Amino acid sequence: MERRGWLKAAVLMCLLVLCSGRELKTKHAPIYDPTLARTLAEYTSAVYTADLTQLFSWTCQRCGDLTEGFEVIELIVDVKNCLQAYVGFAGDMNAVIVVFRGTQENSIQNWIEDLFWKQLDLDYPGMPEAKVHSGFYSAYHNTTLRDGVVSGIQKTRAVYGNIPIMVTGHSMGGAMASFCALDLVVNFGLKDVTLMTFGQPRIGNAVFASYFRRHLPNAVRVINAHDIVPHLPPYYHYFPQKTYHHFPREVWIHNVGLGSFIYSIEQICDGSGEDPTCSRSVIGNSVHDHIHYLSISMHAESWGSCRIVTDDRTLQYKMDPAGNIVLSKQPGLSVNEQHSAE
């Protein structure tokens, strides 16, 4: 009996070596850092906080642990389109953090159904034959988010210097984060931009994925187990140039084991973006796996379609004619100090 147990353990160790033994590195550092992934997952979870005051002052329930001491500089809410993002400074990492919120939980099912039928329908500017999903592209480029995010980055860097920029998001927020990171590199010429997303859908075709990799070679998409969203819009391998295609690099979190020996691994996939041994090797059919990443909840605190709560009447914000909200402060000041300065 004891011998059988050791045999199972040995087989499990072999599985772990095969699945996670490769350490993907650039010349200077690993592309995938598990601690960074968990930290960015916590930042991504926080964006689902319903109370804008708690989020802006970084006092929300999800605003702790690895993200403690974070300073929000700009919080943008596009009310009409129910979109949200924030920009701030992480002193412990000496970096700008940009986070996009994903789809509200109550609308995920309808959104998934729509993605089954959505076709590539927009030529990405300056990239011949590169086609993208117009909805995801427009959510970033044609709303208040782009101007607010860029303004927040510029403010933060004006005070803290040309520090690295880390862009992240979950679900549809991951799609917007990807377009944002590409925008910062291609259109603003910014260097040292890192992208890591969670449960992101496909956003363009294979040609677009190739361009994307050229500009953001160290981008990482984290996918959890049987998460349904990264399988959408569908990939049709019979039409590789015409179908949606993920950009690399995927890191697939899933369980491996034998019998009672179960272990969760973070498998680094190949550079194709569509590694058949990673998430494409399983059926993507789980909404539960979509809203839990690295044991961190990605579900919205509010079930409302776009609920906005501000309990603090002293909170200062700007509202444009369309009703969109921007909460902004000067880097280095607390919310109370900012209010006093005004």
Side-chain angles (χ1 to χ4, degrees), residues 27-188:
K27 292 179 181 179
H28 304 291
I31 287 178
Y32 179 69
D33 180 339
T35 302
L36 176 61
R38 183 168 181 84
T39 302
L40 293 179
E42 289 190 7
Y43 279 117
T44 304
S45 176
V47 79
Y48 287 105
T49 298
D51 190 319
L52 294 187
T53 307
Q54 292 182 6
L55 182 60
F56 190 61
S57 58
W58 208 248
T59 56
C60 66
Q61 247 186 343
R62 305 185 187 194
C63 304
D65 195 15
L66 296 175
T67 67
E68 191 172 353
F70 180 69
E71 178 187 357
V72 179
I73 305 299
E74 203 97 349
L75 173 57
I76 312 104
V77 183
D78 188 301
V79 177
K80 179 182 176 182
N81 299 292
C82 193
L83 303 172
Q84 185 174 311
Y86 69 82
V87 181
F89 174 65
D92 56 343
M93 294 192 289
N94 194 36
V96 182
I97 306 294
V98 182
V99 183
F100 291 84
R101 193 186 68 193
T103 309
Q104 291 288 83
E105 194 169 342
N106 71 318
S107 63
I108 283 179
Q109 200 60 48
N110 291 335
W111 183 66
I112 287 171
E113 291 171 5
D114 289 342
L115 284 183
F116 267 111
W117 306 107
K118 189 65 178 176
Q119 299 299 308
L120 291 157
D121 53 3
L122 183 71
D123 295 324
Y124 192 89
M127 297 182 181
E129 300 183 32
K131 285 190 170 291
V132 296
H133 184 289
S134 65
F136 297 148
Y137 177 91
S138 297
Y140 169 70
H141 281 277
N142 300 331
T143 66
T144 57
L145 292 190
R146 185 181 189 234
D147 287 346
V149 164
V150 171
S151 171
I153 292 172
Q154 290 171 339
K155 277 185 189 176
T156 308
R157 288 183 129 199
V159 172
Y160 295 110
N162 291 329
I163 55 178
I165 302 166
M166 298 184 180
V167 189
T168 188
H170 165 252
S171 192
M172 180 177 175
M176 291 187 286
S178 299
F179 281 118
C180 174
L182 186 62
D183 184 37
L184 296 177
V185 172
V186 173
N187 297 317
F188 290 91

